[in-house]
PDB file of all heavy atoms in Angstrom:
ATOM      1  N   ALA A   1       7.035  -6.204   7.668  1.00 34.00           N
ATOM      2  CA  ALA A   1       7.491  -4.922   7.124  1.00 34.00           C
ATOM      3  C   ALA A   1       6.417  -4.185   6.352  1.00 34.00           C
ATOM      4  O   ALA A   1       6.637  -3.081   5.885  1.00 34.00           O
ATOM      5  CB  ALA A   1       8.683  -5.150   6.204  1.00 34.00           C
ATOM      6  N   LEU A   2       5.217  -4.770   6.214  1.00 36.00           N
ATOM      7  CA  LEU A   2       4.145  -4.144   5.437  1.00 36.00           C
ATOM      8  C   LEU A   2       3.748  -2.813   6.040  1.00 36.00           C
ATOM      9  O   LEU A   2       3.543  -2.686   7.224  1.00 36.00           O
ATOM     10  CB  LEU A   2       2.932  -5.071   5.409  1.00 36.00           C
ATOM     11  CG  LEU A   2       1.679  -4.513   4.747  1.00 36.00           C
ATOM     12  CD1 LEU A   2       1.895  -4.446   3.249  1.00 36.00           C
ATOM     13  CD2 LEU A   2       0.494  -5.384   5.063  1.00 36.00           C
ATOM     14  N   VAL A   3       3.643  -1.792   5.197  1.00 35.00           N
ATOM     15  CA  VAL A   3       3.210  -0.476   5.641  1.00 35.00           C
ATOM     16  C   VAL A   3       1.976  -0.096   4.857  1.00 35.00           C
ATOM     17  O   VAL A   3       1.995  -0.090   3.643  1.00 35.00           O
ATOM     18  CB  VAL A   3       4.307   0.590   5.414  1.00 35.00           C
ATOM     19  CG1 VAL A   3       3.826   1.965   5.828  1.00 35.00           C
ATOM     20  CG2 VAL A   3       5.561   0.217   6.192  1.00 35.00           C
ATOM     21  N   ALA A   4       0.881   0.235   5.543  1.00 33.00           N
ATOM     22  CA  ALA A   4      -0.335   0.680   4.873  1.00 33.00           C
ATOM     23  C   ALA A   4      -0.412   2.187   4.997  1.00 33.00           C
ATOM     24  O   ALA A   4      -0.497   2.716   6.095  1.00 33.00           O
ATOM     25  CB  ALA A   4      -1.553   0.040   5.506  1.00 33.00           C
ATOM     26  N   VAL A   5      -0.373   2.867   3.885  1.00 34.00           N
ATOM     27  CA  VAL A   5      -0.359   4.324   3.903  1.00 34.00           C
ATOM     28  C   VAL A   5      -1.656   4.856   3.352  1.00 34.00           C
ATOM     29  O   VAL A   5      -2.013   4.584   2.222  1.00 34.00           O
ATOM     30  CB  VAL A   5       0.818   4.863   3.047  1.00 34.00           C
ATOM     31  CG1 VAL A   5       0.854   6.373   3.091  1.00 34.00           C
ATOM     32  CG2 VAL A   5       2.134   4.270   3.531  1.00 34.00           C
ATOM     33  N   GLY A   6      -2.427   5.652   4.143  1.00 35.00           N
ATOM     34  CA  GLY A   6      -3.615   6.276   3.603  1.00 35.00           C
ATOM     35  C   GLY A   6      -3.197   7.471   2.814  1.00 35.00           C
ATOM     36  O   GLY A   6      -2.732   8.432   3.360  1.00 35.00           O
ATOM     37  N   CYS A   7      -3.306   7.429   1.516  1.00 34.00           N
ATOM     38  CA  CYS A   7      -2.735   8.440   0.657  1.00 34.00           C
ATOM     39  C   CYS A   7      -3.663   9.128  -0.293  1.00 34.00           C
ATOM     40  O   CYS A   7      -3.280   9.331  -1.402  1.00 34.00           O
ATOM     41  CB  CYS A   7      -1.691   7.913  -0.221  1.00 34.00           C
ATOM     42  SG  CYS A   7      -0.703   6.698  -0.041  1.00 34.00           S
ATOM     43  N   SER A   8      -4.821   9.530   0.146  1.00 33.00           N
ATOM     44  CA  SER A   8      -5.625  10.259  -0.809  1.00 33.00           C
ATOM     45  C   SER A   8      -4.916  11.512  -1.296  1.00 33.00           C
ATOM     46  O   SER A   8      -5.149  11.967  -2.369  1.00 33.00           O
ATOM     47  CB  SER A   8      -6.921  10.707  -0.253  1.00 33.00           C
ATOM     48  OG  SER A   8      -7.290  10.164   0.885  1.00 33.00           O
ATOM     49  N   ASN A   9      -4.053  12.083  -0.464  1.00 34.00           N
ATOM     50  CA  ASN A   9      -3.344  13.269  -0.888  1.00 34.00           C
ATOM     51  C   ASN A   9      -1.850  13.009  -0.993  1.00 34.00           C
ATOM     52  O   ASN A   9      -1.066  13.912  -1.120  1.00 34.00           O
ATOM     53  CB  ASN A   9      -3.572  14.417   0.110  1.00 34.00           C
ATOM     54  CG  ASN A   9      -5.011  14.825   0.148  1.00 34.00           C
ATOM     55  OD1 ASN A   9      -5.605  15.042  -0.889  1.00 34.00           O
ATOM     56  ND2 ASN A   9      -5.586  14.918   1.333  1.00 34.00           N
ATOM     57  N   ASP A  10      -1.424  11.741  -0.882  1.00 35.00           N
ATOM     58  CA  ASP A  10      -0.004  11.414  -0.929  1.00 35.00           C
ATOM     59  C   ASP A  10       0.381  11.060  -2.342  1.00 35.00           C
ATOM     60  O   ASP A  10       0.169   9.978  -2.805  1.00 35.00           O
ATOM     61  CB  ASP A  10       0.258  10.223   0.000  1.00 35.00           C
ATOM     62  CG  ASP A  10       1.698   9.779  -0.032  1.00 35.00           C
ATOM     63  OD1 ASP A  10       2.501  10.497  -0.621  1.00 35.00           O
ATOM     64  OD2 ASP A  10       2.000   8.720   0.524  1.00 35.00           O
ATOM     65  N   ASP A  11       0.963  12.042  -3.049  1.00 34.00           N
ATOM     66  CA  ASP A  11       1.349  11.758  -4.420  1.00 34.00           C
ATOM     67  C   ASP A  11       2.830  11.985  -4.644  1.00 34.00           C
ATOM     68  O   ASP A  11       3.269  12.187  -5.750  1.00 34.00           O
ATOM     69  CB  ASP A  11       0.530  12.596  -5.409  1.00 34.00           C
ATOM     70  CG  ASP A  11       0.691  14.082  -5.205  1.00 34.00           C
ATOM     71  OD1 ASP A  11       1.481  14.490  -4.346  1.00 34.00           O
ATOM     72  OD2 ASP A  11       0.036  14.827  -5.917  1.00 34.00           O
ATOM     73  N   ASP A  12       3.626  11.937  -3.543  1.00 35.00           N
ATOM     74  CA  ASP A  12       5.042  12.202  -3.740  1.00 35.00           C
ATOM     75  C   ASP A  12       5.845  10.937  -3.962  1.00 35.00           C
ATOM     76  O   ASP A  12       7.016  10.993  -4.281  1.00 35.00           O
ATOM     77  CB  ASP A  12       5.609  12.991  -2.556  1.00 35.00           C
ATOM     78  CG  ASP A  12       5.431  12.275  -1.233  1.00 35.00           C
ATOM     79  OD1 ASP A  12       5.052  11.085  -1.229  1.00 35.00           O
ATOM     80  OD2 ASP A  12       5.680  12.908  -0.206  1.00 35.00           O
ATOM     81  N   GLY A  13       5.214   9.765  -3.766  1.00 34.00           N
ATOM     82  CA  GLY A  13       5.887   8.512  -4.053  1.00 34.00           C
ATOM     83  C   GLY A  13       7.031   8.188  -3.108  1.00 34.00           C
ATOM     84  O   GLY A  13       7.862   7.346  -3.407  1.00 34.00           O
ATOM     85  N   ASP A  14       7.079   8.829  -1.913  1.00 36.00           N
ATOM     86  CA  ASP A  14       8.198   8.614  -1.019  1.00 36.00           C
ATOM     87  C   ASP A  14       8.330   7.170  -0.560  1.00 36.00           C
ATOM     88  O   ASP A  14       9.416   6.716  -0.258  1.00 36.00           O
ATOM     89  CB  ASP A  14       8.070   9.508   0.223  1.00 36.00           C
ATOM     90  CG  ASP A  14       8.379  10.957  -0.087  1.00 36.00           C
ATOM     91  OD1 ASP A  14       8.964  11.209  -1.152  1.00 36.00           O
ATOM     92  OD2 ASP A  14       8.050  11.813   0.711  1.00 36.00           O
ATOM     93  N   SER A  15       7.206   6.448  -0.486  1.00 36.00           N
ATOM     94  CA  SER A  15       7.264   5.082   0.006  1.00 36.00           C
ATOM     95  C   SER A  15       7.487   4.077  -1.107  1.00 36.00           C
ATOM     96  O   SER A  15       7.509   2.891  -0.878  1.00 36.00           O
ATOM     97  CB  SER A  15       5.962   4.741   0.737  1.00 36.00           C
ATOM     98  OG  SER A  15       5.815   5.561   1.852  1.00 36.00           O
ATOM     99  N   ALA A  16       7.606   4.567  -2.338  1.00 39.00           N
ATOM    100  CA  ALA A  16       7.736   3.652  -3.468  1.00 39.00           C
ATOM    101  C   ALA A  16       9.183   3.268  -3.673  1.00 39.00           C
ATOM    102  O   ALA A  16      10.072   3.676  -2.969  1.00 39.00           O
ATOM    103  CB  ALA A  16       7.162   4.299  -4.717  1.00 39.00           C
ATOM    104  N   GLY A  17       9.389   2.488  -4.739  1.00 42.00           N
ATOM    105  CA  GLY A  17      10.753   2.148  -5.110  1.00 42.00           C
ATOM    106  C   GLY A  17      10.893   0.683  -5.395  1.00 42.00           C
ATOM    107  O   GLY A  17      10.231  -0.139  -4.800  1.00 42.00           O
ATOM    108  N   GLY A  18      11.769   0.344  -6.335  1.00 42.00           N
ATOM    109  CA  GLY A  18      11.985  -1.035  -6.693  1.00 42.00           C
ATOM    110  C   GLY A  18      12.569  -1.834  -5.552  1.00 42.00           C
ATOM    111  O   GLY A  18      13.148  -1.297  -4.616  1.00 42.00           O
ATOM    112  N   GLY A  19      12.425  -3.143  -5.653  1.00 40.00           N
ATOM    113  CA  GLY A  19      12.903  -4.025  -4.604  1.00 40.00           C
ATOM    114  C   GLY A  19      14.365  -4.342  -4.802  1.00 40.00           C
ATOM    115  O   GLY A  19      15.193  -3.475  -4.981  1.00 40.00           O
ATOM    116  N   GLY A  20      14.704  -5.646  -4.804  1.00 44.00           N
ATOM    117  CA  GLY A  20      16.092  -6.029  -4.949  1.00 44.00           C
ATOM    118  C   GLY A  20      16.682  -6.475  -3.630  1.00 44.00           C
ATOM    119  O   GLY A  20      17.756  -7.037  -3.584  1.00 44.00           O
ATOM    120  N   ASP A  21      15.995  -6.202  -2.501  1.00 56.00           N
ATOM    121  CA  ASP A  21      16.496  -6.586  -1.196  1.00 56.00           C
ATOM    122  C   ASP A  21      15.510  -7.525  -0.510  1.00 56.00           C
ATOM    123  O   ASP A  21      15.450  -7.602   0.706  1.00 56.00           O
ATOM    124  CB  ASP A  21      16.728  -5.343  -0.332  1.00 56.00           C
ATOM    125  CG  ASP A  21      15.483  -4.492  -0.180  1.00 56.00           C
ATOM    126  OD1 ASP A  21      14.457  -4.835  -0.806  1.00 56.00           O
ATOM    127  OD2 ASP A  21      15.527  -3.506   0.578  1.00 56.00           O
ATOM    128  N   GLY A  22      14.735  -8.266  -1.326  1.00 81.00           N
ATOM    129  CA  GLY A  22      13.743  -9.162  -0.737  1.00 81.00           C
ATOM    130  C   GLY A  22      12.447  -8.476  -0.404  1.00 81.00           C
ATOM    131  O   GLY A  22      11.592  -9.068   0.248  1.00 81.00           O
ATOM    132  N   SER A  23      12.276  -7.245  -0.841  1.00 94.00           N
ATOM    133  CA  SER A  23      11.025  -6.534  -0.602  1.00 94.00           C
ATOM    134  C   SER A  23      10.639  -5.746  -1.842  1.00 94.00           C
ATOM    135  O   SER A  23      11.498  -5.315  -2.613  1.00 94.00           O
ATOM    136  CB  SER A  23      11.155  -5.581   0.592  1.00 94.00           C
ATOM    137  OG  SER A  23      12.070  -4.545   0.298  1.00 94.00           O
ATOM    138  N   ILE A  24       9.352  -5.610  -2.048  1.00 98.00           N
ATOM    139  CA  ILE A  24       8.822  -4.835  -3.166  1.00 98.00           C
ATOM    140  C   ILE A  24       7.686  -3.951  -2.685  1.00 98.00           C
ATOM    141  O   ILE A  24       7.178  -4.124  -1.570  1.00 98.00           O
ATOM    142  CB  ILE A  24       8.332  -5.739  -4.320  1.00 98.00           C
ATOM    143  CG1 ILE A  24       7.238  -6.699  -3.830  1.00 98.00           C
ATOM    144  CG2 ILE A  24       9.485  -6.492  -4.944  1.00 98.00           C
ATOM    145  CD1 ILE A  24       6.625  -7.544  -4.943  1.00 98.00           C
ATOM    146  N   THR A  25       7.283  -3.007  -3.530  1.00 98.00           N
ATOM    147  CA  THR A  25       6.231  -2.058  -3.195  1.00 98.00           C
ATOM    148  C   THR A  25       5.054  -2.230  -4.136  1.00 98.00           C
ATOM    149  O   THR A  25       5.227  -2.342  -5.348  1.00 98.00           O
ATOM    150  CB  THR A  25       6.745  -0.606  -3.289  1.00 98.00           C
ATOM    151  OG1 THR A  25       7.871  -0.473  -2.423  1.00 98.00           O
ATOM    152  CG2 THR A  25       5.679   0.389  -2.874  1.00 98.00           C
ATOM    153  N   LEU A  26       3.863  -2.246  -3.561  1.00 98.00           N
ATOM    154  CA  LEU A  26       2.619  -2.355  -4.318  1.00 98.00           C
ATOM    155  C   LEU A  26       1.777  -1.126  -4.051  1.00 98.00           C
ATOM    156  O   LEU A  26       1.448  -0.822  -2.901  1.00 98.00           O
ATOM    157  CB  LEU A  26       1.855  -3.614  -3.891  1.00 98.00           C
ATOM    158  CG  LEU A  26       0.416  -3.773  -4.392  1.00 98.00           C
ATOM    159  CD1 LEU A  26       0.376  -3.925  -5.915  1.00 98.00           C
ATOM    160  CD2 LEU A  26      -0.265  -4.965  -3.716  1.00 98.00           C
ATOM    161  N   TRP A  27       1.427  -0.410  -5.106  1.00 98.00           N
ATOM    162  CA  TRP A  27       0.491   0.705  -4.987  1.00 98.00           C
ATOM    163  C   TRP A  27      -0.905   0.212  -5.384  1.00 98.00           C
ATOM    164  O   TRP A  27      -1.061  -0.496  -6.391  1.00 98.00           O
ATOM    165  CB  TRP A  27       0.881   1.844  -5.924  1.00 98.00           C
ATOM    166  CG  TRP A  27       1.975   2.724  -5.416  1.00 98.00           C
ATOM    167  CD1 TRP A  27       2.829   2.482  -4.376  1.00 98.00           C
ATOM    168  CD2 TRP A  27       2.336   4.004  -5.951  1.00 98.00           C
ATOM    169  NE1 TRP A  27       3.700   3.516  -4.228  1.00 98.00           N
ATOM    170  CE2 TRP A  27       3.419   4.476  -5.168  1.00 98.00           C
ATOM    171  CE3 TRP A  27       1.864   4.790  -6.991  1.00 98.00           C
ATOM    172  CZ2 TRP A  27       4.034   5.716  -5.411  1.00 98.00           C
ATOM    173  CZ3 TRP A  27       2.461   6.021  -7.235  1.00 98.00           C
ATOM    174  CH2 TRP A  27       3.534   6.477  -6.455  1.00 98.00           C
ATOM    175  N   THR A  28      -1.911   0.608  -4.622  1.00 97.00           N
ATOM    176  CA  THR A  28      -3.276   0.183  -4.929  1.00 97.00           C
ATOM    177  C   THR A  28      -4.247   1.352  -4.847  1.00 97.00           C
ATOM    178  O   THR A  28      -4.121   2.215  -3.971  1.00 97.00           O
ATOM    179  CB  THR A  28      -3.746  -0.929  -3.968  1.00 97.00           C
ATOM    180  OG1 THR A  28      -5.104  -1.275  -4.266  1.00 97.00           O
ATOM    181  CG2 THR A  28      -3.638  -0.495  -2.509  1.00 97.00           C
ATOM    182  N   VAL A  29      -5.218   1.349  -5.750  1.00 95.00           N
ATOM    183  CA  VAL A  29      -6.266   2.373  -5.710  1.00 95.00           C
ATOM    184  C   VAL A  29      -7.348   2.019  -4.691  1.00 95.00           C
ATOM    185  O   VAL A  29      -8.218   2.844  -4.413  1.00 95.00           O
ATOM    186  CB  VAL A  29      -6.913   2.578  -7.098  1.00 95.00           C
ATOM    187  CG1 VAL A  29      -5.934   3.238  -8.051  1.00 95.00           C
ATOM    188  CG2 VAL A  29      -7.437   1.257  -7.666  1.00 95.00           C
ATOM    189  N   TYR A  30      -7.298   0.821  -4.134  1.00 94.00           N
ATOM    190  CA  TYR A  30      -8.242   0.447  -3.064  1.00 94.00           C
ATOM    191  C   TYR A  30      -7.641   0.927  -1.756  1.00 94.00           C
ATOM    192  O   TYR A  30      -7.053   0.167  -0.990  1.00 94.00           O
ATOM    193  CB  TYR A  30      -8.491  -1.059  -3.089  1.00 94.00           C
ATOM    194  CG  TYR A  30      -9.116  -1.515  -4.381  1.00 94.00           C
ATOM    195  CD1 TYR A  30      -8.373  -2.215  -5.337  1.00 94.00           C
ATOM    196  CD2 TYR A  30     -10.448  -1.205  -4.672  1.00 94.00           C
ATOM    197  CE1 TYR A  30      -8.951  -2.590  -6.545  1.00 94.00           C
ATOM    198  CE2 TYR A  30     -11.023  -1.584  -5.881  1.00 94.00           C
ATOM    199  CZ  TYR A  30     -10.264  -2.275  -6.804  1.00 94.00           C
ATOM    200  OH  TYR A  30     -10.832  -2.647  -8.005  1.00 94.00           O
ATOM    201  N   ASP A  31      -7.793   2.237  -1.505  1.00 93.00           N
ATOM    202  CA  ASP A  31      -6.962   2.908  -0.509  1.00 93.00           C
ATOM    203  C   ASP A  31      -7.643   3.216   0.814  1.00 93.00           C
ATOM    204  O   ASP A  31      -7.016   3.778   1.705  1.00 93.00           O
ATOM    205  CB  ASP A  31      -6.419   4.212  -1.107  1.00 93.00           C
ATOM    206  CG  ASP A  31      -7.511   5.242  -1.389  1.00 93.00           C
ATOM    207  OD1 ASP A  31      -8.625   4.831  -1.767  1.00 93.00           O
ATOM    208  OD2 ASP A  31      -7.250   6.454  -1.229  1.00 93.00           O
ATOM    209  N   THR A  32      -8.929   2.880   0.971  1.00 89.00           N
ATOM    210  CA  THR A  32      -9.579   3.163   2.245  1.00 89.00           C
ATOM    211  C   THR A  32      -9.076   2.197   3.318  1.00 89.00           C
ATOM    212  O   THR A  32      -8.552   1.121   3.011  1.00 89.00           O
ATOM    213  CB  THR A  32     -11.109   3.041   2.120  1.00 89.00           C
ATOM    214  OG1 THR A  32     -11.435   1.709   1.700  1.00 89.00           O
ATOM    215  CG2 THR A  32     -11.653   4.040   1.102  1.00 89.00           C
ATOM    216  N   ALA A  33      -9.270   2.573   4.578  1.00 90.00           N
ATOM    217  CA  ALA A  33      -8.711   1.792   5.682  1.00 90.00           C
ATOM    218  C   ALA A  33      -9.221   0.358   5.688  1.00 90.00           C
ATOM    219  O   ALA A  33      -8.452  -0.590   5.917  1.00 90.00           O
ATOM    220  CB  ALA A  33      -9.036   2.480   7.014  1.00 90.00           C
ATOM    221  N   ASP A  34     -10.518   0.171   5.424  1.00 88.00           N
ATOM    222  CA  ASP A  34     -11.060  -1.187   5.457  1.00 88.00           C
ATOM    223  C   ASP A  34     -10.506  -2.030   4.310  1.00 88.00           C
ATOM    224  O   ASP A  34     -10.263  -3.240   4.470  1.00 88.00           O
ATOM    225  CB  ASP A  34     -12.591  -1.160   5.424  1.00 88.00           C
ATOM    226  CG  ASP A  34     -13.139  -0.497   4.173  1.00 88.00           C
ATOM    227  OD1 ASP A  34     -12.565   0.513   3.727  1.00 88.00           O
ATOM    228  OD2 ASP A  34     -14.166  -0.982   3.645  1.00 88.00           O
ATOM    229  N   ARG A  35     -10.288  -1.419   3.146  1.00 91.00           N
ATOM    230  CA  ARG A  35      -9.773  -2.171   2.005  1.00 91.00           C
ATOM    231  C   ARG A  35      -8.292  -2.507   2.192  1.00 91.00           C
ATOM    232  O   ARG A  35      -7.846  -3.598   1.811  1.00 91.00           O
ATOM    233  CB  ARG A  35     -10.007  -1.386   0.715  1.00 91.00           C
ATOM    234  CG  ARG A  35     -11.489  -1.303   0.363  1.00 91.00           C
ATOM    235  CD  ARG A  35     -11.775  -0.360  -0.779  1.00 91.00           C
ATOM    236  NE  ARG A  35     -13.201  -0.394  -1.133  1.00 91.00           N
ATOM    237  CZ  ARG A  35     -13.762   0.395  -2.030  1.00 91.00           C
ATOM    238  NH1 ARG A  35     -13.030   1.280  -2.680  1.00 91.00           N
ATOM    239  NH2 ARG A  35     -15.053   0.297  -2.288  1.00 91.00           N
ATOM    240  N   ILE A  36      -7.532  -1.579   2.777  1.00 95.00           N
ATOM    241  CA  ILE A  36      -6.143  -1.867   3.105  1.00 95.00           C
ATOM    242  C   ILE A  36      -6.079  -3.032   4.101  1.00 95.00           C
ATOM    243  O   ILE A  36      -5.271  -3.959   3.962  1.00 95.00           O
ATOM    244  CB  ILE A  36      -5.454  -0.617   3.695  1.00 95.00           C
ATOM    245  CG1 ILE A  36      -5.276   0.469   2.611  1.00 95.00           C
ATOM    246  CG2 ILE A  36      -4.117  -0.982   4.329  1.00 95.00           C
ATOM    247  CD1 ILE A  36      -4.228   0.155   1.564  1.00 95.00           C
ATOM    248  N   ALA A  37      -6.975  -2.990   5.096  1.00 93.00           N
ATOM    249  CA  ALA A  37      -6.992  -4.045   6.106  1.00 93.00           C
ATOM    250  C   ALA A  37      -7.338  -5.400   5.501  1.00 93.00           C
ATOM    251  O   ALA A  37      -6.808  -6.437   5.917  1.00 93.00           O
ATOM    252  CB  ALA A  37      -7.983  -3.694   7.211  1.00 93.00           C
ATOM    253  N   THR A  38      -8.228  -5.424   4.518  1.00 93.00           N
ATOM    254  CA  THR A  38      -8.595  -6.670   3.849  1.00 93.00           C
ATOM    255  C   THR A  38      -7.430  -7.217   3.040  1.00 93.00           C
ATOM    256  O   THR A  38      -7.245  -8.435   2.931  1.00 93.00           O
ATOM    257  CB  THR A  38      -9.808  -6.444   2.926  1.00 93.00           C
ATOM    258  OG1 THR A  38     -10.903  -5.969   3.714  1.00 93.00           O
ATOM    259  CG2 THR A  38     -10.227  -7.723   2.221  1.00 93.00           C
ATOM    260  N   MET A  39      -6.621  -6.324   2.483  1.00 96.00           N
ATOM    261  CA  MET A  39      -5.502  -6.754   1.644  1.00 96.00           C
ATOM    262  C   MET A  39      -4.326  -7.280   2.470  1.00 96.00           C
ATOM    263  O   MET A  39      -3.527  -8.098   1.985  1.00 96.00           O
ATOM    264  CB  MET A  39      -5.053  -5.581   0.771  1.00 96.00           C
ATOM    265  CG  MET A  39      -4.062  -5.923  -0.322  1.00 96.00           C
ATOM    266  SD  MET A  39      -4.776  -7.024  -1.572  1.00 96.00           S
ATOM    267  CE  MET A  39      -3.383  -7.225  -2.681  1.00 96.00           C
ATOM    268  N   GLN A  40      -4.185  -6.851   3.726  1.00 95.00           N
ATOM    269  CA  GLN A  40      -3.022  -7.209   4.534  1.00 95.00           C
ATOM    270  C   GLN A  40      -2.824  -8.728   4.691  1.00 95.00           C
ATOM    271  O   GLN A  40      -1.723  -9.228   4.424  1.00 95.00           O
ATOM    272  CB  GLN A  40      -3.121  -6.537   5.911  1.00 95.00           C
ATOM    273  CG  GLN A  40      -2.792  -5.058   5.838  1.00 95.00           C
ATOM    274  CD  GLN A  40      -2.983  -4.363   7.168  1.00 95.00           C
ATOM    275  OE1 GLN A  40      -3.572  -4.928   8.094  1.00 95.00           O
ATOM    276  NE2 GLN A  40      -2.507  -3.143   7.255  1.00 95.00           N
ATOM    277  N   PRO A  41      -3.847  -9.487   5.094  1.00 97.00           N
ATOM    278  CA  PRO A  41      -3.617 -10.931   5.238  1.00 97.00           C
ATOM    279  C   PRO A  41      -3.308 -11.637   3.917  1.00 97.00           C
ATOM    280  O   PRO A  41      -2.615 -12.654   3.903  1.00 97.00           O
ATOM    281  CB  PRO A  41      -4.922 -11.446   5.852  1.00 97.00           C
ATOM    282  CG  PRO A  41      -5.927 -10.385   5.611  1.00 97.00           C
ATOM    283  CD  PRO A  41      -5.178  -9.089   5.581  1.00 97.00           C
ATOM    284  N   VAL A  42      -3.833 -11.095   2.812  1.00 97.00           N
ATOM    285  CA  VAL A  42      -3.526 -11.670   1.495  1.00 97.00           C
ATOM    286  C   VAL A  42      -2.028 -11.569   1.232  1.00 97.00           C
ATOM    287  O   VAL A  42      -1.374 -12.533   0.803  1.00 97.00           O
ATOM    288  CB  VAL A  42      -4.323 -10.948   0.391  1.00 97.00           C
ATOM    289  CG1 VAL A  42      -3.951 -11.487  -0.983  1.00 97.00           C
ATOM    290  CG2 VAL A  42      -5.819 -11.079   0.636  1.00 97.00           C
ATOM    291  N   LEU A  43      -1.456 -10.406   1.505  1.00 98.00           N
ATOM    292  CA  LEU A  43      -0.041 -10.193   1.268  1.00 98.00           C
ATOM    293  C   LEU A  43       0.828 -10.899   2.312  1.00 98.00           C
ATOM    294  O   LEU A  43       1.953 -11.330   2.013  1.00 98.00           O
ATOM    295  CB  LEU A  43       0.266  -8.696   1.250  1.00 98.00           C
ATOM    296  CG  LEU A  43      -0.387  -7.920   0.099  1.00 98.00           C
ATOM    297  CD1 LEU A  43      -0.033  -6.447   0.169  1.00 98.00           C
ATOM    298  CD2 LEU A  43      -0.004  -8.500  -1.254  1.00 98.00           C
ATOM    299  N   GLU A  44       0.329 -11.036   3.529  1.00 97.00           N
ATOM    300  CA  GLU A  44       1.067 -11.777   4.555  1.00 97.00           C
ATOM    301  C   GLU A  44       1.256 -13.240   4.132  1.00 97.00           C
ATOM    302  O   GLU A  44       2.333 -13.820   4.311  1.00 97.00           O
ATOM    303  CB  GLU A  44       0.339 -11.681   5.888  1.00 97.00           C
ATOM    304  CG  GLU A  44       0.454 -10.302   6.531  1.00 97.00           C
ATOM    305  CD  GLU A  44      -0.483 -10.137   7.707  1.00 97.00           C
ATOM    306  OE1 GLU A  44      -1.268 -11.071   7.997  1.00 97.00           O
ATOM    307  OE2 GLU A  44      -0.443  -9.062   8.333  1.00 97.00           O
TER     308      GLU A  44
END
């Protein structure tokens, strides 16, 4: 269910929100495509 969003201009928080259903949201300032890709296996 992991979604990587490139958001240099995304400040509306639409993908955010508390968990409670077995899922949570993490916002990161390491937002470039390569850094998101590096983070994916860590979270998996």
Side-chain angles (χ1 to χ4, degrees):
L2 175 72
V3 178
V5 181
C7 332
S8 346
N9 296 311
D10 178 10
D11 60 3
D12 58 11
D14 286 344
S15 297
D21 57 356
S23 66
I24 59 175
T25 303
L26 170 65
W27 280 14
T28 178
V29 290
Y30 298 106
D31 66 325
T32 59
D34 60 321
R35 291 171 176 175
I36 291 289
T38 301
M39 190 65 180
Q40 284 176 348
V42 177
L43 295 180
E44 287 169 357

